[in-house]
Amino acid sequence: MGSLRILIVDDHEAVLRGVRSLLSSRTEWEVCGEAKDGAEAIEKAETLRPDVILMDVSMPRMDGIQAVRIIRRQVPTSAVIIVSQNE
């Protein structure tokens, strides 16, 4: 069985680095890409076909909710986990 391929989507560089570091510590997980907004997430999801997408909600250009709606139609094999620091 291959590694679990993960796409991280967040507009904060520090969050991307931290999540990548955390996830990369697991040998059975592979961070296959990163995106900084919803529009880029759609492009990367279509190209990379990750198993899992960790999606921030609040981002510029296109938010995570809008992106998930499109990704679910175009890349239905990718599971999406929504993350938010909003209170």
Side-chain angles (χ1 to χ4, degrees):
M1 182 178 193
S3 61
L4 184 72
R5 300 180 70 245
I6 304 167
L7 172 64
I8 306 167
V9 185
D10 199 292
D11 59 324
H12 294 94
E13 187 65 36
V15 173
L16 287 173
R17 281 194 315 266
V19 172
R20 175 183 277 282
S21 176
L22 180 68
L23 297 178
S24 296
S25 68
R26 300 285 303 258
T27 58
E28 66 273 18
W29 295 350
E30 172 195 353
V31 176
C32 64
E34 298 175 355
K36 294 188 178 186
D37 61 51
E40 185 180 6
I42 294 165
E43 294 170 15
K44 295 269 178 105
E46 290 174 339
T47 302
L48 299 171
R49 303 286 177 175
D51 300 307
V52 176
I53 301 169
L54 294 178
M55 178 78 69
D56 185 20
V57 173
S58 299
M59 294 179 290
R61 209 160 68 134
M62 179 186 289
D63 69 35
I65 301 301
Q66 292 172 310
V68 168
R69 287 183 180 127
I70 295 167
I71 289 169
R72 294 303 303 145
R73 284 192 310 266
Q74 296 180 354
V75 192
T77 57
S78 293
V80 180
I81 299 172
I82 300 285
V83 293
S84 176
Q85 65 182 10
N86 296 336
E87 296 178 14

